[in-house]
Amino acid sequence: MNTKKKSVAMLLAGGQGSRLYALTKNVAKPAVPYGGKYRLIDFPLSNCTNSGIDTVGVLTQYQPLELNEYIGNGQPWDLDKMNGGVHVLPPYETQTGASWYEGTANAIYQNIRFIERYDPQYVIVLGGDHIYKMDYSKMVDYHEKNNADCTIAVIDVPRAEASRFGIMICDEENKVTDFVEKPKEPKSTLASMGIYVFSWDKLRKYLIENENDANAKRERGEAWSKDFGKDIITSMLRDGQRLFAYEFEGYWKDVGTLDSLWEANMDLLSPSVPLDLYDPSWKIYSRNSNMPPQYIGGNANIENSMIAEGSVIDGTVDFSIVFSGATIEAGATVNYSIIMPGTVIKSGAVVEYAIVGEDCVVECGAKIGTSPENVENRDDWGIAVVGHNVTISGGKCVEPKQIIGESI
């Protein structure tokens, strides 16, 4: 018998992350390493723990092996509960057949039975690939105070970037009056963060209606979708339900592209960015790799960088993030780069403005990326990327913007 919960969180972690290319070839996007010792999914899981949300469903689909192993029983996030805790929820087969998750709304629809086990008042829907700190309990309180049917977390973005997001138009009380997905001429700068609080009775009704409507359209050969933004939110607005925007002030990064992943890591080295990983009152938890302390050798020259446990540094590292178990040999140079777990940068190799994936080997004399100052046409410059388990042979060069997924 399951204990009734006030709130249950559903974490959408099944995305392919195709815009991260080689870094998500064999790994789900929420399992991509970040910040020296974390994975992207650590942030929403830690937010749940810090917010007092102790029942979390993690909906996996694409390349789930590493993500499932990483989450385990939820112990690192204090989510190994007898009643509640973290549950990995992949698609499954029933008497009526089997189906992959066909969209964000369908993923929640397929797990209605899981939610009903806890009979919650509220369901919090989260993405698994955003970097931020948020107290979800305050958002739930705001939802209750407004007697809302749905509350959507929003962040104010520059008007020039607003066309990249779903934009909320609100009245003076922050009640949502319109929602437009990626408008060419945005009427507002309040962008949806993909974080929702729903009253469960209303969400359940709209999930079932959307599922039936989309299936009927498919049978008729019409366009259909099962998406929160396109379908659930717009249907609730059409029916006059009470939707409110919850304004978030703080650091938030949607890590959907290689550039945004690199920028989010570099942000950790900037004193002006308000994302404090050292705040004891709001810890970001992760699965411990149980590695020995970092070793900084006599030849090492390190400036303004994060060096994680188990790493061995004997070369030059500047403005970079070096993950657990990485090695930078004497004579190697790493600038403005991300070196993921277990990777070895050998003597004489140069890595600049780059992301190097897990368990790679960059041989002596290889060069990955370059500074933007060294490129004549700035449009030709970009972050160089090496995927996981790749060897870059001695003397080989990976150009700016180049993405390497196989050994060369």
Side-chain angles (χ1 to χ4, degrees):
M1 184 174 180
N2 293 291
T3 304
K4 178 178 173 62
K5 302 287 184 180
K6 179 179 179 180
S7 301
V8 168
M10 300 296 282
L11 205 165
L12 298 164
Q16 182 176 352
S18 57
R19 291 181 297 164
L20 292 180
Y21 301 98
L23 296 179
T24 51
K25 180 180 178 181
N26 298 307
V27 176
K29 184 161 64 164
V32 168
Y34 168 78
K37 63 172 292 183
Y38 305 101
R39 306 268 170 173
L40 298 183
I41 200 168
D42 286 329
F43 285 81
L45 286 177
S46 298
N47 287 338
C48 285
T49 295
N50 291 323
S51 303
I53 310 297
D54 67 0
T55 305
V56 184
V58 180
L59 285 65
T60 62
Q61 179 160 282
Y62 173 80
Q63 295 287 2
L65 179 62
E66 188 165 347
L67 185 62
N68 294 355
E69 182 180 60
Y70 185 73
I71 294 170
N73 67 353
Q75 186 273 332
W77 306 272
D78 194 29
L79 290 172
D80 51 338
K81 307 291 185 182
M82 287 290 290
N83 287 303
V86 67
H87 298 259
V88 175
L89 303 171
Y92 58 89
E93 187 172 6
T94 66
Q95 287 184 331
T96 57
S99 173
W100 292 110
Y101 294 145
E102 298 178 312
T104 52
N106 176 258
I108 305 296
Y109 169 83
Q110 289 199 39
N111 288 283
I112 284 177
R113 284 184 61 198
F114 167 78
I115 298 171
E116 288 181 331
R117 292 173 67 190
Y118 300 99
D119 189 24
Q121 287 179 266
Y122 308 112
V123 170
I124 305 165
V125 179
L126 307 169
D129 51 4
H130 299 159
I131 296 167
Y132 64 107
K133 292 180 176 183
M134 179 187 282
D135 189 340
Y136 302 136
S137 67
K138 291 183 178 179
M139 188 172 171
V140 171
D141 291 344
Y142 179 86
H143 180 89
E144 283 187 303
K145 177 184 174 183
N146 287 299
N147 190 28
D149 299 305
C150 171
T151 299
I152 303 156
V154 297
I155 191 166
D156 198 15
V157 298
R159 187 166 290 276
E161 296 180 18
S163 59
R164 295 173 41 222
F165 297 93
I167 295 298
M168 301 289 162
I169 294 91
C170 303
D171 64 16
E172 62 277 2
E173 295 179 344
N174 262 9
K175 186 177 181 182
V176 180
T177 58
D178 197 10
F179 169 75
V180 185
E181 188 74 48
K182 298 181 180 179
K184 290 183 178 179
E185 297 183 6
K187 297 178 181 179
S188 161
T189 57
L190 292 178
S192 171
M193 298 168 65
I195 301 166
Y196 309 95
V197 174
F198 289 95
S199 297
W200 172 233
D201 57 343
K202 287 291 176 70
L203 176 59
R204 186 182 187 280
K205 171 182 178 291
Y206 279 93
L207 288 173
I208 294 170
E209 286 182 0
N210 173 244
E211 185 72 17
N212 293 336
D213 181 57
N215 290 341
K217 287 180 178 178
R218 176 160 50 186
E219 289 178 6
R220 296 195 298 266
E222 300 174 10
W224 58 274
S225 63
K226 301 177 181 181
D227 180 78
F228 272 106
K230 293 179 183 177
D231 302 297
I232 304 299
I233 301 302
T234 52
S235 295
M236 293 182 79
L237 278 172
R238 176 199 64 206
D239 295 346
Q241 302 294 341
R242 292 177 61 81
L243 279 71
F244 283 82
Y246 177 78
E247 291 193 56
F248 175 73
E249 295 180 0
Y251 182 89
W252 177 77
K253 196 84 168 182
D254 180 357
V255 186
T257 65
L258 293 169
D259 284 343
S260 63
L261 176 63
W262 181 82
E263 289 166 3
N265 277 274
M266 295 298 104
D267 283 346
L268 295 175
L269 304 175
S270 172
S272 63
V273 173
L275 180 65
D276 184 4
L277 297 181
Y278 302 94
D279 180 4
S281 68
W282 200 273
K283 293 181 180 178
I284 302 300
Y285 301 97
S286 67
R287 185 167 291 283
N288 195 322
S289 55
N290 291 316
M291 288 191 173
Q294 60 182 228
Y295 173 77
I296 310 299
N299 296 310
N301 181 11
I302 303 172
E303 292 188 29
N304 198 35
S305 297
M306 283 185 173
I307 312 295
E309 70 238 12
S311 49
V312 177
I313 312 296
D314 219 14
T316 297
V317 180
D318 185 22
F319 215 87
S320 296
I321 307 282
V322 179
F323 282 72
S324 306
T327 299
I328 314 295
E329 292 186 354
T333 299
V334 175
N335 294 325
Y336 290 85
S337 293
I338 303 164
I339 309 300
M340 290 188 176
T343 283
V344 178
I345 312 296
K346 294 197 172 182
S347 180
V350 176
V351 179
E352 294 185 301
Y353 291 87
I355 301 173
V356 183
E358 296 185 66
D359 298 315
C360 293
V361 178
V362 181
E363 297 282 4
C364 301
K367 190 174 190 313
I368 300 174
T370 192
S371 166
E373 287 78 20
N374 295 331
V375 177
E376 284 188 27
N377 185 352
R378 187 60 186 266
D379 291 337
D380 295 334
W381 181 84
I383 302 302
V385 178
V386 176
H388 307 302
N389 300 291
V390 169
T391 296
I392 305 298
S393 302
K396 293 288 186 179
C397 184
V398 179
E399 300 291 344
K401 283 189 175 180
Q402 196 171 0
I403 301 169
I404 302 296
E406 305 289 341
S407 297
I408 59 172

